Amino acid sequence: YMDVIDVYWGDPHSGGVKPLTFVRQVLAACIYPKLLQSDKLPVDVRQRAQSLLTACDGGSVGSYTPSGGISYIRGSVSNFISRRDGGVPSSPENIFMTSGSQRSLMLVLKLLVHNQASLPTGVLTAVPTYNYLKMMLQRLGAAIVPYYLDEEQGWAMEVEELRRALQASKGVCNPVALYVINPGNPTGHVQSRKCIEEVIRFAAEERLFLMADEVYQESVFGEGCEFVSYKKVLSEMGPPLSHTVKLASFHSASKGLMGECGLRGGYVELVNLDPTVMRYAYTIFSTDICAPVTGQLALELMANPPRPGDPSYPVYAQETQSIQAMLVHNMNWVPEVLNNIPGISCQPMMGGAFVFPRLYLPQAATEKAKVVGMQPDLWYCKRLLEEAGVCVGPGCQYGQKEGTHHIRLCVMTPVETMEQVLKRLKDFHLHFLKEFS
Amino acid sequence: MAVSLIEKYRNGCRPTNPRLPIVHIFCFSQASCSEAKCELQKRNMTENGLGHRVLNMDTMNPNVKRVEYAVRGPIVQRAMQIEKELKEGVKKPFTEVIKANIGDAHAMGQKPITFLRQVVALCAYPDLLEDDKFPEDAKNRARRILQACGGGSIGAYSASPGIEIIRQDVAKYIEKRDGGIPSNPDNIYLSTGASDAIVTMLKLLTSGEGKNRTGVMISIPQYPLYSAALAELAAVQVSYYLDEDKCWSLDVGELRRAVKVAREHCNPRALCIINPGNPTGQVQSRQCIEDVIRFAAEEHLFLMADEVYQDNVYAEGCQFHSFKKVLFEMGPEYSSVVELASFHSTSKCFMGECGFRGGYMEVVNMDPEVKLQLTKLVSVRLCPPIPGQALLDLVVNPPQPDEPSYATFIKERTANLDILAEKAKMTEQVLNTVPGIHCNPVQGAMYTFPRLSLPEKAINAAKEKGQAPDMFYCMKLLEETGICLVPGSGFGQRDGTYHFRMTILPATEKLKVVLKKIREFHKRFTEEFS
């Protein structure tokens, strides 16, 4: 092979997806305001950049912003949330922008996790879940309380399993929070409204702080699937739950159609938090001083894209449709191809950016891996990289039921690249099976 | 890695009756826990249904309560409120809030450096590479940076320590600055502002429990990021006083006193220095830096040198000396032994690009295994913002004399630094004409930290309000003049002394007005409380 294809990271631009023109034009004009005089940039780009610069201190993106973010942008984001949720009110004061949603996650966890209490703080976390979350929890001294997603049911979340997990944690740690990621990473599962309601009810009964990571909300294209936010469902469940369940919802400019991972724009919306706790939340967020302004700008552009009638709209629509088409194509076709490879099965993908197919590795292979001292799927991935030049994530990194093996692939990748990946994977896998039959 | 911690517990120790208070430590992190019977009882209460709120003041992480960050504290929040009121048309004795509380040059009207912004704009929207209004050297820099980005886009993640060629450029910059002393790019970690790197190092350094808990030496006064981070990490703050009478200089005798006392109740492991100083503006002499290095070597302390203001040196006879340079010039007895982390940022100096959150740290003589852990630690935050990394690259790799953008670049850079020097001088002069205000020379950085004589009556009035006297003073100043400063109590000061920190950043004409208003206010204040 001539090159290494990396579908390990959820990094669309790295994989070849192009940035959205409107976003980059506005960004450039904000960074170098002389461009506001350039008639090479569409009028709406220049107007938007002007509004954003006016909202910055001293008219410069080089200034610090208030700790939660530029007021104007917090307003845009809260309007976006409200529109998305069919009118459910959202208050800018409850929105904090940070350097990527990971940072918000970390800061909210800081409020929740005691690392000097006699029992460690527990956070219910899915198996499988993405690696960074686990690292973060371990770093803070929190205990991970694992709940298993049901692979046979397309990686669905079941409340009974949540109950079991919670029960198992008694006396070992103090569970205070339940972390869900919807659409799922690495699973690609999109929760039904019914499931979300059950989870909310469970969190209310067990007095758990709900952390809803919704960074992949824009990527939902599965047949009959729809993204509905935890906040919306909570609100529609009415009092007392809608006034009492504590919720932190996370979103980001890194995923979705923009894919601007490098700009580091993320936010958290805090719902139903105690006002005194909110004051401390503000202090904790303020020790970063503020989120990078480029990230804040990216969030504003995500919250407020060009609309029909705007000069930039045709190009914007064409670009987003093209990315969407790529995703829809991959979402349907990748699991199908994987399912047709002997020894691999893949649940349908409903949304998100990844698939998490299962590998049925021959006994001889798992034994060989033991000899080498590696988890079987990690060893598989290593060989896949070395022999086929394809980089994917090993299931052991995300967690899985004992004795099962998986790999994670990012499908937010141009179709031609994906075709190459699957071809090489198939060739490698068949060869692998032969070697260990 | 796949075995969850809870499973580990199952196989390890478990109390026989989970309801009994657990005395021993279940420890996951490097920080140890301690007995907390009350904590468990409280939690049992909650579990039994008493106290319905999940996250409340009782259940919140107690370390958070100890965190304060004065630069964004109550006075700044009040200032923002007043700004809102002004916008709504509320009548005040002033028409605008002047935010002289934070070291943000652009907010106060300083213009960005053209070259820096051109290159980053080109990186953001590469179609502009076809635009002939951009100089060739800017385009070349942009192309080089984009080539180093995933998919040629600044929207891709970079490696966690930062883009490789930028780390190399930073290393070259350090070598050039330090007269050729080698710098290894592997020891350079790019960060989200210097703050990110500073907190990361403090996390790495904090461990132990009880008398063995990590102590970190920080100056009084200090930039409150340090005290906030230490509070949150539950590390022990070991304060050493700067000498106000000697222009806020650092005295090794005072360091010795502080560390001796500290050893009785904690394990001092690090010494933080800010040079040039914040809030004090003092620039350490070379001799002083050598003394500090010798002290750190003797006491086995990890040195943290915060050098974000390294270009902001104004006073005659003062010069910036990097800790690394001095360390290496002291010879292998020190240079092969003393552990050092130096920090820099794009937020200050001549460029003032705070909003980009660009920065780096260089680690020297770090244990290789610890360095592995450091690399792991920084990966949790994924990567620093790419535009900030790009901007940093231009700061360390500016236009050269033979390049088209050089003339403008040098002109803008020099102008920014010269204006700051003028304002530093003017601030010191004007404040020293006010009876009851004494201001040390602003040798460097961006702030003045003058001492206030407050009447007894004012101090009592403040106490009645439950406010620190200098907070009381600053709040009144804000309400009467719209000028927002940060009270000295937010930075630390000797008992019974009062200060405020003011930036020298407002535009010259505005700064003149600010200084005049402060003078008038101080006179009024003194009369009111005499």
Side-chain angles (χ1 to χ4, degrees):
Chain A
Y1 57 89
M2 296 291 286
D3 60 348
V4 171
I5 308 179
D6 189 338
V7 285
Y8 168 47
W9 283 87
D11 189 348
H13 292 193
S14 203
V17 176
K18 296 277 160 261
L20 299 178
T21 301
F22 178 76
V23 172
R24 293 306 188 83
Q25 285 176 331
V26 173
L27 203 63
C30 288
I31 291 169
Y32 189 55
K34 237 182 167 170
L35 290 169
L36 294 172
Q37 275 95 54
S38 163
D39 51 14
K40 290 204 190 97
L41 292 179
V43 162
D44 53 347
V45 164
R46 287 181 270 155
Q47 279 168 350
R48 184 75 68 95
Q50 185 62 75
S51 309
L52 290 169
L53 284 171
T54 308
C56 294
D57 265 344
S60 165
V61 297
S63 297
Y64 287 124
T65 76
S67 295
I70 295 170
S71 294
Y72 174 83
I73 300 182
R74 279 165 108 186
S76 289
V77 170
S78 81
N79 287 339
F80 158 81
I81 293 171
S82 210
R83 268 193 325 264
R84 176 200 69 190
D85 294 343
V88 174
S90 167
S91 171
E93 285 86 58
N94 292 335
I95 295 167
F96 292 83
M97 292 190 274
T98 54
S99 189
S101 63
Q102 298 290 304
R103 188 60 187 155
S104 294
L105 257 166
M106 175 67 103
L107 293 172
V108 171
L109 285 171
K110 273 192 209 231
L111 290 171
L112 293 165
V113 176
H114 291 226
N115 63 9
Q116 285 175 317
S118 45
L119 267 188
T121 306
V123 177
L124 276 81
T125 313
V127 179
T129 201
Y130 69 98
N131 197 33
Y132 283 98
L133 175 69
K134 293 197 284 185
M135 280 169 72
M136 223 188 287
L137 291 170
Q138 283 162 2
R139 236 268 305 269
L140 285 170
I144 296 169
V145 179
Y147 62 88
Y148 289 81
L149 300 176
D150 191 343
E151 182 160 17
E152 309 308 311
Q153 301 300 319
W155 298 109
M157 201 170 155
E158 255 121 51
V159 175
E160 276 322 301
E161 169 57 16
L162 291 177
R163 252 184 257 287
R164 180 213 61 78
L166 194 64
Q167 188 58 37
S169 74
K170 288 229 188 311
V172 181
C173 71
N174 176 35
V176 305
L178 166 56
Y179 172 91
V180 302
I181 175 163
N182 180 47
N185 175 4
T187 62
H189 176 78
V190 175
Q191 290 181 351
S192 66
R193 170 188 281 265
K194 179 161 172 292
C195 174
I196 296 175
E197 283 181 8
E198 287 173 359
V199 171
I200 290 173
R201 240 173 249 120
F202 173 77
E205 279 161 23
E206 303 293 343
R207 281 185 316 281
L208 296 169
F209 188 102
L210 252 179
M211 297 177 68
D213 190 338
E214 298 172 327
V215 298
Y216 294 102
Q217 58 185 267
E218 266 185 36
S219 312
V220 176
F221 305 110
E223 199 72 37
C225 297
E226 200 203 357
F227 169 77
V228 59
S229 75
Y230 265 76
K231 179 155 177 247
K232 180 173 196 225
V233 176
L234 176 62
S235 165
E236 290 173 355
M237 286 168 84
L241 292 177
S242 56
H243 295 330
T244 56
V245 172
K246 293 188 191 337
L247 168 68
S249 306
F250 303 89
H251 194 18
S252 154
S254 301
K255 313 298 172 185
L257 304 171
M258 273 176 63
E260 295 283 8
C261 308
L263 298 184
R264 313 310 294 121
Y267 75 75
V268 59
E269 183 184 23
L270 297 170
V271 179
N272 291 332
L273 260 65
D274 196 296
T276 32
V277 173
M278 279 300 276
R279 283 210 288 276
Y280 286 98
Y282 173 83
T283 305
I284 280 288
F285 279 82
S286 78
T287 56
D288 281 350
I289 310 180
C290 69
V293 179
T294 48
Q296 298 190 39
L297 297 175
L299 285 172
E300 206 280 333
L301 300 171
M302 181 186 80
N304 227 350
R307 286 188 230 280
D310 291 348
S312 296
Y313 184 75
V315 171
Y316 174 82
Q318 181 249 314
E319 288 173 343
T320 49
Q321 273 155 24
S322 158
I323 295 171
Q324 242 168 272
M326 171 196 86
L327 249 184
V328 171
H329 171 273
N330 289 345
M331 247 187 234
N332 293 320
W333 167 76
V334 171
E336 195 187 310
V337 172
L338 290 170
N339 274 317
N340 282 327
I341 303 176
I344 299 187
S345 78
C346 187
Q347 292 299 313
M349 185 181 173
M350 298 156 81
F354 305 96
V355 286
F356 198 59
R358 182 157 169 196
L359 306 173
Y360 295 87
L361 300 176
Q363 178 89 311
T366 53
E367 266 154 32
K368 181 73 193 281
K370 255 185 212 127
V371 168
V372 179
M374 271 193 190
Q375 293 282 353
D377 41 27
L378 177 59
W379 182 61
Y380 179 96
C381 289
K382 186 166 180 284
R383 286 194 56 173
L384 177 65
L385 175 61
E386 284 169 1
E387 294 171 28
V390 172
C391 186
V392 302
C396 57
Q397 215 169 73
Y398 308 96
Q400 55 206 344
K401 278 214 164 84
E402 193 77 45
T404 65
H405 308 105
H406 299 79
I407 50 174
R408 184 188 83 163
L409 292 88
C410 177
V411 305
M412 243 216 129
T413 307
V415 174
E416 315 76 56
T417 311
M418 215 61 233
E419 280 172 358
Q420 257 299 295
V421 167
L422 292 177
K423 179 175 178 300
R424 293 191 199 179
L425 176 63
K426 180 174 181 182
D427 288 343
F428 169 84
H429 191 82
L430 293 176
H431 201 85
F432 189 89
L433 288 180
K434 237 191 181 160
E435 187 184 334
F436 292 100
S437 61
Chain B
M1 197 133 98
V3 176
S4 79
L5 294 165
I6 202 167
E7 241 107 61
K8 232 161 134 180
Y9 264 104
R10 289 271 177 83
N11 303 329
C13 43
R14 212 205 325 194
T16 44
N17 179 350
R19 284 298 191 197
L20 284 176
I22 292 163
V23 173
H24 286 293
I25 321 163
F26 288 99
C27 185
F28 294 103
S29 67
Q30 282 155 349
S32 296
C33 325
S34 55
E35 280 189 45
K37 286 188 185 157
C38 316
E39 201 51 66
L40 185 66
Q41 274 166 13
K42 258 195 203 153
R43 203 161 298 115
N44 282 341
M45 269 171 65
T46 317
E47 280 167 359
N48 290 335
L50 298 170
H52 62 100
R53 291 211 141 185
V54 169
L55 176 61
N56 55 40
M57 292 308 290
D58 290 326
T59 59
M60 187 179 78
N61 176 359
N63 290 343
V64 171
K65 283 185 217 171
R66 295 159 48 212
V67 175
E68 280 165 10
Y69 185 56
V71 179
R72 285 274 155 123
I75 196 158
V76 177
Q77 291 172 47
R78 175 65 190 140
M80 286 179 69
Q81 210 177 358
I82 293 177
E83 257 185 336
K84 230 177 157 192
E85 288 171 16
L86 281 172
K87 262 204 191 107
E88 288 162 7
V90 176
K91 272 263 170 274
K92 302 234 174 242
F94 48 87
T95 52
E96 64 168 326
V97 170
I98 300 176
K99 287 184 274 208
N101 57 293
I102 192 162
D104 186 345
H106 291 201
M108 292 287 105
Q110 180 178 299
K111 295 283 159 255
I113 302 285
T114 304
F115 183 75
L116 271 49
R117 292 302 189 86
Q118 284 176 333
V119 177
V120 182
L122 286 163
C123 289
Y125 185 48
D127 277 23
L128 293 171
L129 291 166
E130 312 303 313
D131 187 338
D132 54 15
K133 293 211 191 74
F134 287 87
E136 209 48 46
D137 51 357
K139 290 185 182 177
N140 288 336
R141 294 277 198 302
R143 282 190 200 103
R144 183 167 171 267
I145 292 169
L146 286 173
Q147 253 161 32
C149 294
S153 164
I154 59 169
Y157 288 120
S158 75
S160 295
I163 293 172
E164 185 65 37
I165 57 151
I166 299 181
R167 293 164 77 199
Q168 287 168 4
D169 289 349
V170 168
K172 284 199 196 96
Y173 160 82
I174 293 171
E175 276 180 15
K176 193 163 174 213
R177 179 197 68 191
D178 293 346
I181 292 164
S183 173
N184 185 347
D186 287 343
N187 291 333
I188 310 278
Y189 291 82
L190 304 192
S191 54
T192 305
S195 306
D196 170 27
I198 290 167
V199 173
T200 298
M201 274 314 305
L202 288 173
K203 275 202 178 75
L204 210 62
L205 285 160
T206 301
S207 67
E209 49 161 317
K211 272 197 169 171
N212 204 32
R213 188 77 178 154
T214 298
V216 177
M217 300 184 72
I218 64 176
S219 60
I220 298 297
Q222 48 98 42
Y223 172 53
L225 169 75
Y226 289 90
S227 48
L230 296 177
E232 208 220 296
L233 291 167
V236 179
Q237 180 174 325
V238 177
S239 306
Y240 64 88
Y241 289 87
L242 300 176
D243 193 341
E244 184 158 18
D245 296 331
K246 295 213 180 92
C247 207
W248 295 114
S249 65
L250 206 166
D251 172 40
V252 177
E254 167 58 15
L255 290 179
R256 256 186 252 288
R257 177 209 64 79
V259 85
K260 186 162 177 259
V261 168
R263 288 203 191 285
E264 290 164 23
H265 61 268
C266 74
N267 179 15
R269 300 179 71 207
L271 167 55
C272 301
I273 315 263
I274 308 174
N275 181 49
N278 175 5
T280 58
Q282 99 279 18
V283 176
Q284 306 286 0
S285 68
R286 199 211 164 85
Q287 182 62 54
C288 180
I289 296 175
E290 284 187 17
D291 291 345
V292 170
I293 290 172
R294 235 169 255 124
F295 171 78
E298 282 162 20
E299 301 288 339
H300 301 293
L301 297 170
F302 191 106
L303 260 177
M304 289 182 51
D306 183 341
E307 297 173 331
V308 301
Y309 297 99
Q310 55 190 261
D311 293 336
N312 300 109
V313 175
Y314 318 121
E316 280 255 351
C318 287
Q319 200 190 326
F320 171 73
H321 303 279
S322 78
F323 264 78
K324 180 162 177 232
K325 178 169 197 241
V326 177
L327 175 64
F328 276 76
E329 288 175 352
M330 285 168 78
E333 180 195 348
Y334 295 98
S335 61
S336 59
V337 158
V338 174
E339 290 153 71
L340 167 69
S342 308
F343 305 91
H344 194 20
S345 147
T346 60
S347 303
K348 315 296 178 189
C349 292
F350 64 91
M351 52 280 179
E353 296 283 10
C354 312
F356 278 84
R357 315 309 286 117
Y360 74 77
M361 97 173 135
E362 181 185 26
V363 297
V364 175
N365 292 328
M366 184 176 269
D367 179 299
E369 280 185 38
V370 173
K371 194 149 170 295
L372 272 169
Q373 292 301 313
L374 171 61
T375 306
K376 204 170 85 174
L377 199 61
V378 302
S379 70
V380 178
R381 57 118 171 82
L382 290 165
C383 72
I386 310 300
Q389 295 190 41
L391 198 82
L392 178 68
D393 191 46
L394 305 164
V395 169
V396 300
N397 190 14
Q400 295 305 297
D402 58 343
E403 289 183 300
S405 301
Y406 180 75
T408 308
F409 172 78
I410 283 297
K411 183 158 157 257
E412 291 174 346
R413 180 185 194 274
T414 311
N416 283 353
L417 292 174
D418 284 351
I419 292 172
L420 281 171
E422 281 165 26
K423 292 194 279 194
K425 194 100 201 128
M426 177 175 75
T427 301
E428 179 203 337
Q429 278 169 351
V430 175
L431 287 178
N432 277 327
T433 64
V434 183
I437 297 187
H438 175 261
C439 182
N440 272 328
V442 178
Q443 294 178 337
M446 291 176 170
Y447 315 95
T448 179
F449 197 64
R451 180 152 168 196
L452 308 170
S453 300
L454 299 180
E456 194 71 48
K457 255 186 164 184
I459 297 172
N460 293 335
K463 284 204 179 103
E464 258 163 56
K465 266 191 146 183
Q467 275 181 341
D470 43 27
M471 171 65 93
F472 177 71
Y473 178 97
C474 289
M475 277 294 197
K476 216 163 186 299
L477 176 71
L478 174 63
E479 300 287 344
E480 288 180 25
T481 66
I483 298 168
C484 183
L485 310 177
V486 190
S489 43
F491 302 87
Q493 55 204 348
R494 280 202 185 274
D495 264 339
T497 66
Y498 312 105
H499 302 79
F500 62 66
R501 186 188 82 165
M502 186 186 88
T503 70
I504 58 167
L505 297 173
T508 309
E509 287 317 303
K510 194 169 266 182
L511 185 60
K512 285 190 182 138
V513 171
V514 166
L515 292 169
K516 179 164 164 285
K517 287 194 173 182
I518 292 176
R519 183 167 51 199
E520 287 162 359
F521 170 82
H522 193 86
K523 187 161 179 278
R524 274 199 319 270
F525 185 89
T526 311
E527 279 164 10
E528 187 184 333
F529 290 98
S530 61

